[in-house]
């Protein structure tokens, strides 16, 4: 006589909803991953590190928000299962716990990467400020150098005739050049 297997399946109310929420978050993250690849390609083409870091930070913030949705969905599914009295050692409960741990791990990884990117962005901003300050200092030095050179040319251009011996012609020229007539 053939034996017949009788199995019971416990279906969690709203489980499809939780799975859909997890799936939607995963799809959004895949789209953001594609956007990140585009940013990577643009960086390789242009070499604009500051724009790349800003784009990367923005994309990571969006990915973190989507990943947080997945974590929240997994937490809600676990809470609902506990409320329904599902055995904590059951396969479905362990699956949702594993999904929650995986989602949280990805979230922590994304947050760490965002912190690193923001640190790089801050460093680039500091370097840009330093470069701007160096350029400003160079401009000031160049201005003073050429002003001094032009003044020396102006002072040495004329020869004074008939000045008393007590009058220094260079002091007279410098005074006239700097203070006017």
């Amino acid at each position: 006589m053939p034996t017949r297997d009788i199995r019971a399946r416990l279906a969690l109310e709203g489980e499809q909803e939780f799975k859909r929420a997890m799936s939607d978050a995963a799809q959004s993250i895949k789209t953001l991953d594609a956007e990140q690849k585009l940013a990577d390609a643009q960086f390789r083409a242009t070499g604009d590190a500051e724009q790349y870091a800003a784009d990367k930070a923005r994309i990571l913030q969006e990915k973190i928000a989507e990943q947080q949705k997945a974590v929240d969905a997994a937490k809600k599914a676990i809470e609902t299962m506990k409320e329904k009295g599902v055995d904590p050692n059951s396969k479905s409960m362990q699956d949702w716990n594993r999904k929650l741990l995986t989602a949280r791990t990805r979230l922590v990884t994304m947050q760490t990467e965002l912190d690193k990117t923001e640190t790089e962005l801050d460093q680039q901003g500091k370097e840009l400020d330093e470069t701007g300050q160096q350029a400003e200092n160079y401009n000031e030095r160049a201005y003073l150098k050429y002003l001094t050179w032009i003044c020396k040319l102006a002072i040495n251009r004329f020869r004074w005739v008939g000045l008393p011996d007590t009058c220094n012609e260079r002091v007279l020229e410098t005074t006239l050049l700097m203070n006017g007539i």
Side-chain angles (χ1 to χ4, degrees), residues 38-49:
L38 173 63
D40 292 344
Q42 288 175 334
F43 171 66
R44 283 191 299 275
T46 64
D48 188 353

Side-chain angles (χ1 to χ4, degrees), residues 125-159:
K126 288 177 185 176
E127 289 173 2
L128 190 59
D129 289 344
E130 290 173 5
T131 302
Q133 185 63 38
Q134 289 173 352
E136 191 175 307
N137 290 341
Y138 175 78
N139 285 340
E140 288 177 19
R141 287 193 315 268
Y143 170 78
L144 291 175
K145 177 182 175 182
Y146 286 109
L147 178 65
T148 303
W149 181 64
I150 289 171
C151 288
K152 286 181 182 179
L153 283 175
I155 290 173
N156 290 319
R157 184 168 181 197
F158 302 103
R159 203 173 107 183

Side-chain angles (χ1 to χ4, degrees), residues 40-145:
D40 292 344
Q42 288 175 334
F43 171 66
R44 283 191 299 275
T46 64
D48 188 353
E50 187 175 3
Q51 182 63 42
Y52 173 70
D55 287 345
K56 185 176 179 181
R58 179 187 54 79
I59 292 167
L60 281 170
Q61 288 171 344
E62 292 176 20
K63 285 172 71 172
I64 287 171
E66 290 299 322
Q67 191 63 36
Q68 186 62 50
K69 289 178 186 177
V71 168
D72 293 342
K75 282 181 181 179
K76 191 169 182 178
I78 291 170
E79 288 173 13
T80 303
M81 292 175 83
K82 286 180 182 177
E83 289 172 2
K84 299 291 181 184
V86 175
D87 180 23
N89 295 322
S90 70
K91 183 180 181 312
S92 61
M93 182 68 96
Q94 289 177 356
D95 286 345
W96 279 105
N97 277 323
R98 190 172 35 258
K99 288 176 186 178
L100 175 61
L101 291 173
T102 301
R104 291 174 87 183
T105 301
R106 288 179 183 154
L107 182 62
V108 169
T109 302
M110 288 175 191
Q111 288 171 332
T112 303
E113 191 174 350
L114 178 61
D115 291 342
K116 181 181 170 187
T117 301
E118 287 176 341
T119 301
E120 289 172 6
L121 197 55
D122 290 343
Q123 183 63 30
Q124 288 174 354
K126 288 177 185 176
E127 289 173 2
L128 190 59
D129 289 344
E130 290 173 5
T131 302
Q133 185 63 38
Q134 289 173 352
E136 191 175 307
N137 290 341
Y138 175 78
N139 285 340
E140 288 177 19
R141 287 193 315 268
Y143 170 78
L144 291 175
K145 177 182 175 182

